[in-house]
Amino acid sequence: MTPSVHKNHTLVLVVDDDLVIQMQLRYAMQKEGYQVLVANDGKAALSIYIESNPDLILLDAMMPVMDGFSCCAQLQELNANIPILMITGLNDQNSVDKAFAVGAADYITKPIHWAVLRQRVRRLLQMHWVMKELQSRIEKEQLIAKITQKIRQSLNLEIILSTTVIEVRKLLKTDRVIVYRFLPEGNGYVIVESVAPEWQPMLGKVFEDTYFSDKCTYNYQQGNIYTIDDIDNAGLSQCHIDLLTELQARANLVVPIERENNVWGLLVAYECSRPRKWDKLDIELLIQLADQLVMAIQQAELYQKLEIANQKLQQLASIDSLTEIPNRRSFDEVLEREWNRLEREKAPLSLILCDIDFFKNYNDTYGHPAGDKCLKEVAQVLNQVIQRSGDLAARYGGEEFALILPNTDATGAVYIAETILLQIRSQNLIHESSKISSYLTLSLGVATIIPQATSSLTWLIAKADEALYRAKETGRNRYCIHQ
């Protein structure tokens, strides 16, 4: 079905140096309801085209300064995607061929037959609007495909939303496009925005306006879409006018983003410089993109839940269930990571291995539940002694614990070891079956190295273990340092 010509929005440029013909053409086009601009020669026509972008050009072939053929050729160089009806007094095949060669869509000869002119103008405009609508539909379908692909490729909701508003504003050639996010309280804020440089940004702005909370939320829940072509002639309430004025809007198109029967937010296009008649394709585009954004939101929320679950699983896999400090697996991962980092930085790494003295006797005397409680208390002391975020206290195995101390030299490691012994003694944990004390004690082995390619993690652990063995052999309740 051929669409009707949009007369009220059709701009015709008449280019003719003959004032009589020029006036006749202007009158004929205005009588048809078209808006008309006039130029006296081809050079002036180019300037008017660049400034006004008309829908059709009536172009006389023979003119001073720049003739119609040259003007038509230059319009093609400007990628003028509009119909040009050449008016020529030269009724010969060469002139006709030349007109078509330089880009004319059709021609008419003088003297002008006005009924023929009107018919050809209408036909050219109909073809122009059909092609323009087809091109617009193709571009919008490509945008939807692009956003859909972005959703499939990215789990980052902010990137998807930002891509959407940027591409929509570019395609609709409008001044501002936002995604407005509703908050539980009924107000909301601009979560993403694409705005032309001459207009004030609204990104992150919170709107407390009662228009949204009192009225629009319910209406949007019904799936309503709002179009305002001109805020001055739309019969709006004062609070709505104030809101649109704050957004510097003269016209807007609003589509709700619904999530599980609730309005998650709004996808909004604003025309700030002038009123605008939103066409069917504009509305269809935003509706389809709002549907795509719902998918993106669902996907992002599922991903976020999965990330939280994975973090919990990771935490469970890295934490000792009894003492609630990092386990041997976590110890191995952190020690390797810090070794590699400090090898690059040529900085020291210290390791302390700790062992509860006569722990088997403790379990035999007080029972395993008491032994478990003892392990928890020792772990708590070790965790309190380390002060820096990069330090790690871990359960190494059984009644053994380990401390990883990055960027810590031997002096610093000895200080930590002495502090551990003092803190354990201050706990006054009774251990009647110990062979060296009435209270619980620890033995510690300390080793320090500057990691390098000629050494290894195995070497550091072995030296700390040797120092721990020496502490036990020389009486326990002490620390020894690898020499």
Side-chain angles (χ1 to χ4, degrees), residues 156-189:
N156 189 313
L157 181 60
E158 185 177 351
I159 292 174
I160 294 168
L161 294 177
S162 296
T163 301
T164 300
V165 296
I166 291 169
E167 295 298 330
V168 169
R169 188 172 78 83
K170 187 190 304 179
L171 188 57
L172 296 186
K173 297 180 176 61
T174 193
D175 297 315
R176 187 195 310 273
V177 176
I178 68 169
V179 172
Y180 179 89
R181 175 78 164 97
F182 279 111
L183 296 172
E185 299 81 10
N187 57 353
Y189 68 103

Side-chain angles (χ1 to χ4, degrees), residues 118-363:
R118 286 192 293 270
Q119 188 274 335
R120 293 193 179 181
V121 166
R122 175 170 288 275
R123 180 176 59 81
L124 288 175
L125 284 171
Q126 286 174 340
M127 291 175 58
H128 174 60
W129 284 109
V130 166
M131 293 303 297
K132 193 171 183 179
E133 184 171 326
L134 178 60
Q135 181 63 32
S136 178
R137 188 174 294 277
I138 290 171
E139 289 175 350
K140 290 170 183 177
E141 288 176 355
Q142 288 174 340
L143 173 57
I144 292 168
K146 180 177 181 179
I147 298 300
T148 303
Q149 185 69 16
K150 181 69 73 172
I151 291 171
R152 291 173 180 171
Q153 291 177 343
S154 175
L155 295 172
N156 189 313
L157 181 60
E158 185 177 351
I159 292 174
I160 294 168
L161 294 177
S162 296
T163 301
T164 300
V165 296
I166 291 169
E167 295 298 330
V168 169
R169 188 172 78 83
K170 187 190 304 179
L171 188 57
L172 296 186
K173 297 180 176 61
T174 193
D175 297 315
R176 187 195 310 273
V177 176
I178 68 169
V179 172
Y180 179 89
R181 175 78 164 97
F182 279 111
L183 296 172
E185 299 81 10
N187 57 353
Y189 68 103
V190 179
I191 187 170
V192 291
E193 175 187 44
S194 176
V195 61
E198 61 267 29
W199 304 104
Q200 181 182 351
M202 295 291 173
L203 181 62
K205 183 173 178 58
V206 177
F207 288 93
E208 304 289 348
D209 196 279
T210 58
Y211 175 82
F212 286 117
S213 57
D214 295 346
K215 176 183 177 183
C216 284
T217 303
Y218 172 78
N219 289 336
Y220 288 130
Q221 284 174 340
Q222 310 310 305
N224 291 331
I225 294 160
Y226 284 86
T227 60
I228 298 174
D229 299 334
D230 186 351
I231 68 169
D232 296 330
N233 299 299
L236 304 175
S237 64
Q238 189 57 50
C239 69
H240 194 184
I241 293 173
D242 292 343
L243 176 64
L244 291 173
T245 300
E246 187 174 359
L247 285 160
Q248 304 166 299
R250 296 291 306 281
N252 71 343
L253 169 57
V254 187
V255 175
I257 303 170
E258 297 184 75
R259 174 84 171 92
E260 296 179 347
N261 298 320
N262 291 311
V263 182
W264 183 91
L266 306 172
L267 177 59
V268 192
Y270 292 102
E271 195 72 26
C272 301
S273 53
R274 59 187 177 277
R276 171 168 177 165
K277 177 69 175 176
W278 303 98
D279 62 33
K280 182 181 178 182
L281 287 179
D282 296 336
I283 298 170
E284 288 177 357
L285 172 69
L286 260 65
I287 291 174
Q288 291 182 61
L289 286 177
D291 291 340
Q292 293 297 321
L293 292 182
V294 170
M295 292 173 54
I297 293 164
Q298 292 172 336
Q299 183 172 283
E301 288 177 352
L302 287 173
Y303 177 69
Q304 187 177 34
K305 290 178 182 177
L306 181 61
E307 279 290 288
I308 293 171
N310 285 338
Q311 288 173 8
K312 289 180 179 178
L313 287 173
Q314 183 68 29
Q315 186 178 24
L316 289 173
S318 303
I319 299 298
D320 179 64
S321 59
L322 175 65
T323 62
E324 297 182 349
I325 65 172
N327 58 17
R328 176 62 180 270
R329 173 184 174 182
S330 183
F331 166 84
D332 291 337
E333 290 175 352
V334 172
L335 186 60
E336 183 177 4
R337 183 177 69 241
E338 292 300 326
W339 179 280
N340 293 332
R341 180 177 69 85
L342 296 171
E343 183 180 353
R344 293 192 301 271
E345 297 177 6
K346 295 181 173 53
L349 172 62
S350 291
L351 175 64
I352 301 177
L353 294 182
C354 314
D355 190 71
I356 300 175
D357 294 329
F358 302 108
F359 186 67
K360 182 179 183 304
N361 295 353
Y362 190 97
N363 271 335

